[in-house]
Amino acid sequence: MGNVLQIDAELKNIVVRNEIDNSPFKIGDSLLKIENKSIDSFQDFISIVSILNNNESVNVLVKRDNSIFTLKCSKEILEKIRFNNLISGFATLTYINPVTNKFGAVGHPINIGNTKKIPIKSGYISCTNNLSIKKSSKGCVGCVSADKKFVIGDFHSNTNFGIKGNVSNLDLCSYKKYKVASLDEVKLGKAQIILQDTDNKCKKYNIEVVGIEKQRRPASKGIKIKIVDKELLRQTGGIVQGMSGTPIIQDDKIIGAISHALENNPAMGYAVHIKWMVEENS
């Protein structure tokens, strides 16, 4: 818990990653078919585009949000736009079930542009070392970067509250076990987060729970928190990208995971109740 992970995944679809003039595509659009030919890999995309006529209008079936529709464009547009089906980034390990070896991380869905909960074909999580931190400041959320060590698990599930999968290459003997708190056990006041530090050790830092949403059904931002630990504030300036999924401990129970930072005050942020994160799609 609290380990900074490198997350690598192949997506189920080719996705638009930039926007250009005179293009009908939006960042996050998923390409399903070109001229009624299915796109199941990046190689499919390259092969189909290569045989298109330069001066003809091209029909492209796309998925945007939850809608599927056809767009028309030129071969030139398809050659200029950046498409890919790979993602890579950093987030934090929230929990591992010691009985099932199932893990949860991130605390929010992986989205690209307009595409929410981007479908994953196959994904992997790796442990890291040599952390480097770009501090957050008012109006600018910082970020974590690190060196990838080795793969410790895989995942296919991208849920409203993060990714879920299985750990297969990690010794859990040295990890402390925590009970999962119910919603009514979360209270205002002192708490701690567990996060990997620059010495590659998972360490506790002081925070305060300053707000609690009384949620009757699964939803994000159920807990509002404030980072008060002077050492962590000196290192990070508050919450940074890559801390999503950081577990929160109160009264020796895990109560939630960091999911969002407040850009105008990065010492403040939101967390998802651990109950929602553990139970979703379980």
Side-chain angles (χ1 to χ4, degrees):
M1 293 169 52
N3 308 69
V4 173
L5 305 173
Q6 179 167 322
I7 297 172
D8 299 290
E10 180 182 1
L11 308 179
K12 287 186 176 179
N13 302 112
I14 304 296
V15 175
V16 176
R17 302 306 295 265
N18 69 330
E19 296 179 15
I20 62 174
D21 292 341
N22 303 315
S23 166
F25 299 105
K26 302 289 186 182
I27 293 175
D29 284 354
S30 296
L31 272 64
L32 306 180
K33 293 182 178 182
I34 296 177
E35 290 297 327
N36 210 33
K37 295 182 177 67
S38 296
I39 311 257
D40 296 319
S41 67
F42 194 73
Q43 187 57 50
D44 287 345
F45 171 77
I46 293 173
S47 298
I48 294 170
V49 171
S50 68
I51 61 174
L52 295 174
N53 293 322
N54 289 323
N55 299 319
E56 292 185 358
S57 178
V58 182
N59 294 306
V60 182
L61 187 68
V62 303
K63 182 178 181 180
R64 180 182 298 168
D65 287 329
N66 292 317
S67 300
I68 295 176
F69 50 89
T70 298
L71 296 175
K72 291 184 178 295
C73 69
S74 64
K75 177 180 179 179
E76 181 183 15
I77 291 292
L78 290 174
E79 291 175 330
K80 284 185 175 180
I81 283 189
R82 184 164 60 92
F83 300 93
N84 70 29
N85 63 337
L86 301 173
I87 58 170
S88 184
F90 298 98
T92 303
L93 177 65
T94 307
Y95 69 85
I96 300 171
N97 184 319
V99 177
T100 64
N101 278 351
K102 294 187 179 300
F103 78 85
V106 187
H108 60 73
I110 297 175
N111 305 322
I112 299 178
N114 296 303
T115 303
K116 310 302 181 184
K117 292 197 299 182
I118 195 83
I120 304 293
K121 180 181 288 186
S122 61
Y124 300 91
I125 60 169
S126 303
C127 58
T128 64
N129 59 9
N130 300 324
L131 264 64
S132 175
I133 301 170
K134 179 182 178 182
K135 291 178 65 172
S136 289
S137 58
K138 186 175 181 180
C140 182
V141 178
C143 62
V144 167
S145 60
D147 293 337
K148 177 179 176 179
K149 290 179 67 179
F150 53 86
V151 172
I152 60 171
D154 63 276
F155 69 95
H156 300 88
S157 182
N158 181 17
T159 77
N160 287 318
F161 307 121
I163 61 172
K164 288 188 172 186
N166 298 284
V167 168
S168 57
N169 189 24
L170 192 65
D171 184 2
L172 303 180
C173 294
S174 62
Y175 283 69
K176 181 176 178 178
K177 296 180 176 66
Y178 292 92
K179 291 184 177 180
V180 173
S182 61
L183 269 64
D184 58 6
E185 288 181 302
V186 182
K187 61 186 181 182
L188 298 175
K190 294 180 180 180
Q192 294 178 309
I193 60 172
I194 303 176
L195 183 65
Q196 182 176 330
D197 65 12
T198 52
D199 293 322
N200 304 317
K201 296 178 181 178
C202 290
K203 183 177 176 180
K204 287 183 177 179
Y205 298 95
N206 294 322
I207 68 166
E208 289 183 0
V209 175
V210 297
I212 303 170
E213 288 287 328
K214 297 297 184 182
Q215 297 173 330
R216 296 186 176 183
R217 57 180 61 89
S220 63
K221 298 183 178 180
I223 305 170
K224 190 174 184 180
I225 64 167
K226 180 180 181 181
I227 306 292
V228 297
D229 194 287
K230 291 182 179 179
E231 180 185 355
L232 186 60
L233 288 170
R234 186 167 55 250
Q235 291 178 358
T236 66
I239 299 170
V240 299
Q241 293 178 20
M243 284 176 63
S244 294
T246 300
I248 303 172
I249 306 299
Q250 189 178 62
D251 294 335
D252 218 31
K253 294 183 178 180
I254 180 169
I255 65 169
I258 292 177
S259 58
H260 298 82
L262 294 181
E263 187 172 333
N264 289 327
N265 184 3
M268 305 283 290
Y270 290 98
V272 57
H273 282 288
I274 192 64
K275 175 182 172 67
W276 304 144
M277 193 172 178
V278 169
E279 289 184 354
E280 187 183 34
N281 295 337
S282 61

